[in-house]
Amino acid sequence: MTEKHFFKILQEKTETVFHQSEVYKKNKDKNWFYSICNGPILRDKPIIFGLNWGVSNNLNYEGHKAQKIYPETIDTNTWKFKSHVNSYLIKYFGCSFDEVNYSNQCFFRTPKERFLSYQDWRDALPLFREYVEYINPPYLIMLGRPRYMNNKELKDYREIGHLPEGSKRRSYVRLGTLFDKYKFGSVPHSSAHISPETHDVLWKILEEKFK
């Protein structure tokens, strides 16, 4: 199956699930929609992902539409977090952000995570799993703390803490096996209130554990 064909199948499933979701039923008047990925699907390449796609809460905002067409090119959006992640991917994994797949655990767009119910997360997860299994990545890196997955989906879960000198707050790298097969690790999102030095240490730990 080609990437375009797979995307079309997944897009149609996503639209069906989205229109049946609690978040859609509660917010039909808002232009929140859904997205699947930010660029062409790169099979056998790593996946970087977050929790869910953001969107403006302004009812008149028309910057986002449902992603119904396969993205032929990489999104040129210059997100701040993209340059942050890019620097660590190059330093520790030998690839750039544009050489990996980027998506989110939940394809549904909302202004804040709190708009999604637990059931929304559970309904969306099979869609993400299909995306992962089609790509067959050597590993996945999550930006943020893994949530809304149970111990059947994320196995061998463990945490490695790092306490910066002079700090009372510990930060974590989280590791496991996703969907019975895929090497999984998470590091704090670039927006987390931790120092650049701490981000660097955590990415280095992740790289060492993935060897």
Side-chain angles (χ1 to χ4, degrees):
M1 186 190 308
T2 67
E3 289 83 354
K4 284 185 179 181
H5 187 196
F6 168 76
F7 178 88
K8 183 60 177 175
I9 292 172
L10 185 59
Q11 180 272 319
E12 290 173 352
K13 289 182 180 179
T14 298
E15 183 161 279
T16 297
V17 175
F18 176 67
H19 284 136
Q20 294 172 350
S21 70
E22 291 182 2
V23 68
Y24 173 74
K25 290 175 182 177
K26 292 177 181 178
N27 301 280
K28 289 183 179 180
D29 60 326
K30 300 182 176 66
N31 298 323
W32 289 358
F33 304 114
Y34 60 84
S35 285
I36 295 170
C37 52
N38 83 313
I41 292 173
L42 306 174
R43 301 191 74 179
D44 302 314
K45 295 292 185 180
I47 295 174
I48 310 298
F49 71 104
L51 282 168
N52 79 302
W53 305 91
V55 70
S56 173
N57 202 18
N58 185 338
L59 291 178
N60 297 319
Y61 182 72
E62 297 183 355
H64 295 299
K65 300 293 184 183
Q67 189 183 39
K68 297 188 177 186
I69 299 174
Y70 178 74
E72 299 278 2
T73 58
I74 295 168
D75 190 335
T76 57
N77 195 311
T78 55
W79 306 309
K80 184 178 180 180
F81 95 90
K82 182 177 178 180
S83 60
H84 171 95
V85 173
N86 189 57
S87 64
Y88 292 118
L89 284 174
I90 292 171
K91 183 174 182 178
Y92 292 115
F93 291 91
C95 60
S96 72
F97 193 95
D98 292 340
E99 295 174 295
V100 301
N101 298 278
Y102 179 71
S103 185
N104 277 282
Q105 179 180 322
C106 178
F107 295 160
F108 308 157
R109 286 188 177 276
T110 57
K112 299 288 184 180
E113 178 191 335
R114 63 181 172 82
F115 287 99
L116 295 166
S117 69
Y118 177 76
Q119 190 60 49
D120 288 325
W121 289 101
R122 297 306 303 168
D123 290 344
L125 192 59
L127 301 167
F128 180 67
R129 181 167 187 160
E130 286 194 45
Y131 173 80
V132 172
E133 291 179 341
Y134 179 79
I135 290 172
N136 189 37
Y139 58 84
L140 299 95
I141 298 175
M142 183 177 193
L143 308 176
R145 181 174 181 172
R147 301 176 190 172
Y148 317 109
M149 296 181 190
N150 60 39
N151 57 13
K152 293 181 181 179
E153 292 142 357
L154 183 57
K155 297 180 178 178
D156 308 317
Y157 182 76
R158 57 202 187 277
E159 298 180 336
I160 300 175
H162 170 68
L163 184 64
E165 184 176 350
S167 174
K168 296 181 180 180
R169 183 178 179 182
R170 191 176 296 272
S171 298
Y172 294 90
V173 170
R174 296 173 170 90
L175 302 164
T177 302
L178 187 62
F179 304 140
D180 296 311
K181 179 178 180 180
Y182 305 102
K183 192 179 297 183
F184 168 92
S186 78
V187 289
H189 196 279
S190 61
S191 62
H193 297 299
I194 59 177
S195 69
E197 293 77 17
T198 299
H199 277 295
D200 193 69
V201 168
L202 296 175
W203 276 86
K204 181 174 176 55
I205 291 172
L206 184 61
E207 185 265 342
E208 290 172 347
K209 293 301 178 182
F210 272 10
K211 285 183 177 177

